[in-house]
Amino acid sequence: MLYQRYIEIGRVCYIRLGDHAGKTCVVVDMVDQKHLLVDGPETGVPRCVLRLNQVAITDLKITIPRGCKTKKVRVELTKANIPAKFAKTSLAKKAAAKVAKANLGDFERFQVRVAKTLRNRKIRTTVRKMKKSS
Amino acid sequence: KAVVSTQSTGKLRGSIVPGSVVILLAGVHRGKRVVVLKQLPSGLLLVSGPYKINGVPLRRVDQAYVIATSTVVDLPALPEIGDAIFKRKGKPTKNEKEMFIDNTTEEPKISAEKIALQKEVDALVVPAVKKVAMLQSYLKSKFTLSKGVYPHDLKF
């Protein structure tokens, strides 16, 4: 199989671009080849139409009927425990790390720089030692 | 109720409190990270390197020429310092008779009073700085811009 994840009713998607960037939502209906009707009651995404390229597909999926109401979407999301499951995915972790990096203060940035230098120094000396001994 | 008129010190930015670490943007010490001791009655910030750590002495700095960081040092009670010690001493005017007589004594560049005060303040501030891990080396380092670093995007 070429693709593992499909855009389908109930697919949980991560919004990459636009007003609601960084949030997850659920596909509720397809409008046309390039647009989705999307809803994210748990994450603050109102029911709206998004372009396919604004969205990244995740592994998670819930079972909802096509075009169902927001209330039902919310119920199914909490039943499947999607918010917790999404937080465990690497996509969520990477997004969180990016946000954390942007929120670093001046002192924290200095500490990160120092930690990086020490780590790289250790790696280089170990590699040099290994090269010497081999 | 008696109305007492007090001369108000200029408004201090909410992000600057006594003990704040601040980045100097202008002057000889530009780029250096420095500890704010207090706001003087003149409205200027009283700042100290501490001198032992990065060579910035007790100095007055306008808050407009400073980036406030979110780091705050827990400062102990410091001696009273006002604008008076920073007042510049005028050159003594010579009268006609003494115009060609050079009787100026070599005055030291920094008064002994200032040096003593610096030592006294540093003795209180440096231990407070050393309590926080890596803070001393942070104050030693300078703030620099490099490729891809835009101050309007940074959080301080």
Side-chain angles (χ1 to χ4, degrees), chain A:
Chain A
M1 290 273 265
L2 207 59
Y3 295 104
Q4 260 76 38
R5 306 173 183 175
Y6 293 90
I7 291 274
E8 50 198 321
I9 310 294
R11 175 66 65 184
V12 176
C13 295
Y14 174 80
I15 305 173
R16 294 169 37 238
L17 308 164
D19 289 339
H20 306 288
K23 301 186 186 156
T24 53
C25 56
V26 176
V27 176
V28 165
D29 202 348
M30 290 281 310
V31 176
D32 62 21
Q33 280 286 339
K34 292 201 171 169
H35 291 85
L36 301 169
L37 180 66
V38 125
D39 203 346
E42 295 285 294
T43 53
V45 181
R47 186 167 259 233
C48 59
V49 173
L50 294 181
R51 297 188 311 277
L52 262 179
N53 76 337
Q54 286 183 270
V55 126
I57 320 178
T58 66
D59 272 333
L60 306 166
K61 185 183 177 307
I62 57 173
T63 11
I64 47 166
R66 181 178 73 92
C68 72
K69 294 224 164 167
T70 310
K71 194 171 170 190
K72 176 123 175 99
V73 176
R74 183 181 284 128
V75 164
E76 291 297 321
L77 279 174
T78 38
K79 228 201 282 174
N81 203 9
I82 295 294
K85 283 189 188 160
F86 178 71
K88 287 200 211 127
T89 60
S90 69
L91 182 73
K93 287 186 192 151
K94 280 187 184 164
K98 205 173 181 191
V99 168
K101 187 175 182 190
N103 284 328
L104 287 177
D106 195 45
F107 187 26
E108 284 106 59
R109 256 178 272 128
F110 172 80
Q111 290 170 321
V112 166
R113 200 162 60 234
V114 168
K116 251 193 180 176
T117 317
L118 293 176
R119 176 175 171 263
N120 290 335
R121 196 178 294 162
K122 238 189 193 171
I123 294 171
R124 264 187 284 121
T125 49
T126 326
V127 167
R128 213 177 292 140
K129 252 189 247 161
M130 287 165 75
K131 275 193 185 170
K132 250 190 172 179
S133 63
S134 70

Side-chain angles (χ1 to χ4, degrees), chain A residues 99 101-115 118, chain B residues 23 33 69-71 132-135 137-138 141 143 153-156:
Chain A
V99 168
K101 187 175 182 190
N103 284 328
L104 287 177
D106 195 45
F107 187 26
E108 284 106 59
R109 256 178 272 128
F110 172 80
Q111 290 170 321
V112 166
R113 200 162 60 234
V114 168
L118 293 176
Chain B
I23 302 171
R33 294 166 172 122
T69 66
S70 50
T71 324
V132 182
M134 288 213 254
L135 189 60
S137 44
Y138 171 62
S141 68
F143 174 76
D153 274 340
L154 292 178
K155 273 217 170 117
F156 289 94

